[in-house]
Amino acid sequence: MSDTAIRVRGIEKSFKDVHVLRGVDFDVERGSIFALLGSNGAGKTTLVRILSTLLKADAGAATVQGHDVGSEPGEVRESISLTGQFAAVDEVLSGRENLVLVAKLRHVKHPAAVAEELLARFSLTEAGDRRAATYSGGMRRRLDIAMSLIGEPKIIFLDEPTTGLDPQARIDVWRTVKQLADGGTTVLLTTQYLDEAEQLADRIAILHRGTIIQNGTLAELKQLLPPAEIEYVEKQPSLEDVFLALVGDTGEADAAENADAAADASARKEAR
């Protein structure tokens, strides 16, 4: 089997007189994290919709897991999972019920056991029986990604997975994405955040005005600019270093997140 999980060649897409994609080309290796970096309106979501068979390209070709997105949409859908910009969870159901429902819809054996494993994997066990409406933004996103992994898809598309999240929640999602790749899942994520692409991606493709203007590893992209000549550099801590030093480890953050979400839910109930 080829080492290429996703192959895109000459993809074009227009909406009336607006040319969104103007001939996009790239490959994504199996088990890697590939970041599609671009500003709002660059065409990132349109491309993801084409690759996930939700939209047809006007020209060009693309394969996912060796299946053509145009002529073999069923086979493509069996190989992938898609998480959009907003968490697609049922707020009336609990976290556990959301997972069990998706497992049943995908005809997975032992849906309750699958739900328990995913709740533990994404640090949601304590909140598993609470309605998803009481979850914080970071918890909803983690639940959304957990739901997308049911059925063990080979490829997962994450369309701007940290939009609207606070710094700690973003770091939690980053950690989850890295774990997916470490487990052999191919991840294609779109983002407009430079630090997100820098933290996560094995390769970064910059999408601008409908075309890929650069594609490479972080080291390769940095080589595009000449190094600055300096005599002395004093390393200053980054904002992330300061933030993590102040808030402590993830376990404490998860507990605080659960407590905050529960407090918000209780306040809303009393208000009613």
Side-chain angles (χ1 to χ4, degrees):
M1 186 177 289
S2 170
D3 288 334
T4 302
I6 302 171
R7 184 179 299 260
V8 178
R9 293 291 182 271
I11 289 292
E12 299 179 13
K13 184 64 182 179
S14 298
F15 297 98
K16 294 184 178 181
D17 296 331
V18 179
H19 300 291
V20 179
L21 300 175
R22 302 170 179 264
V24 176
D25 302 271
F26 63 82
D27 292 335
V28 180
E29 294 184 2
R30 294 184 188 279
S32 68
I33 301 176
F34 186 92
L36 198 60
L37 178 64
S39 58
N40 284 332
K44 304 185 299 297
T45 296
T46 297
L47 184 55
V48 167
R49 287 176 177 170
I50 291 172
L51 294 177
S52 57
T53 75
L54 298 178
L55 195 64
K56 289 190 176 181
D58 296 334
T63 60
V64 175
Q65 283 291 102
H67 302 295
D68 186 272
V69 299
S71 61
E72 301 175 282
E75 288 81 353
V76 171
R77 291 174 186 174
E78 290 179 357
S79 304
I80 69 170
S81 189
L82 169 63
T83 298
Q85 295 182 23
F86 304 99
V89 302
D90 189 322
E91 295 188 348
V92 175
L93 301 179
S94 69
R96 179 176 285 102
E97 288 169 338
N98 269 281
L99 292 167
V100 169
L101 175 62
V102 173
K104 289 181 177 179
L105 290 173
R106 294 185 178 177
H107 306 289
V108 173
K109 294 181 179 179
H110 312 298
V114 170
E116 289 300 326
E117 189 275 329
L118 287 170
L119 287 172
R121 180 175 175 182
F122 288 87
S123 302
L124 292 170
T125 300
E126 291 185 6
D129 292 322
R130 294 212 323 261
R131 289 176 55 193
T134 69
Y135 285 14
S136 67
M139 294 167 70
R140 291 188 193 192
R141 177 54 79 185
R142 295 207 304 274
L143 177 61
D144 192 30
I145 295 176
M147 291 163 60
S148 72
L149 293 181
I150 293 175
E152 299 182 350
K154 301 297 182 183
I155 298 172
I156 182 169
F157 295 107
L158 301 176
D159 191 13
E160 303 204 18
T162 62
T163 297
L165 298 185
D166 61 59
Q168 182 63 56
R170 290 184 71 208
I171 293 170
D172 290 342
V173 172
W174 290 355
R175 185 178 294 109
T176 298
V177 173
K178 290 177 181 178
Q179 290 171 350
L180 293 178
D182 290 342
T185 303
T186 303
V187 179
L188 186 151
L189 68 89
T190 71
T191 184
Q192 57 183 310
Y193 301 126
L194 300 175
D195 59 338
E196 188 157 274
E198 186 171 357
Q199 287 286 334
L200 295 177
D202 297 303
R203 293 189 69 85
I204 302 167
I206 301 175
L207 183 64
H208 182 65
R209 295 182 178 177
T211 60
I212 302 293
I213 59 174
Q214 288 293 341
N215 182 353
T217 64
L218 178 61
E220 290 169 345
L221 295 179
K222 285 184 174 181
Q223 289 178 357
L224 296 174
L225 296 178
E229 293 186 3
I230 52 178
E231 296 181 358
Y232 173 79
V233 175
E234 180 178 350
K235 184 181 183 300
Q236 296 293 326
S238 68
L239 180 59
E240 181 179 339
D241 293 332
V242 174
F243 182 84
L244 290 178
L246 292 174
V247 301
D249 61 27
T250 304
E252 293 175 350
D254 285 339
E257 188 176 43
N258 281 324
D260 288 344
D264 288 343
S266 177
R268 287 194 294 269
K269 183 176 181 181
E270 291 178 2
R272 291 197 298 269

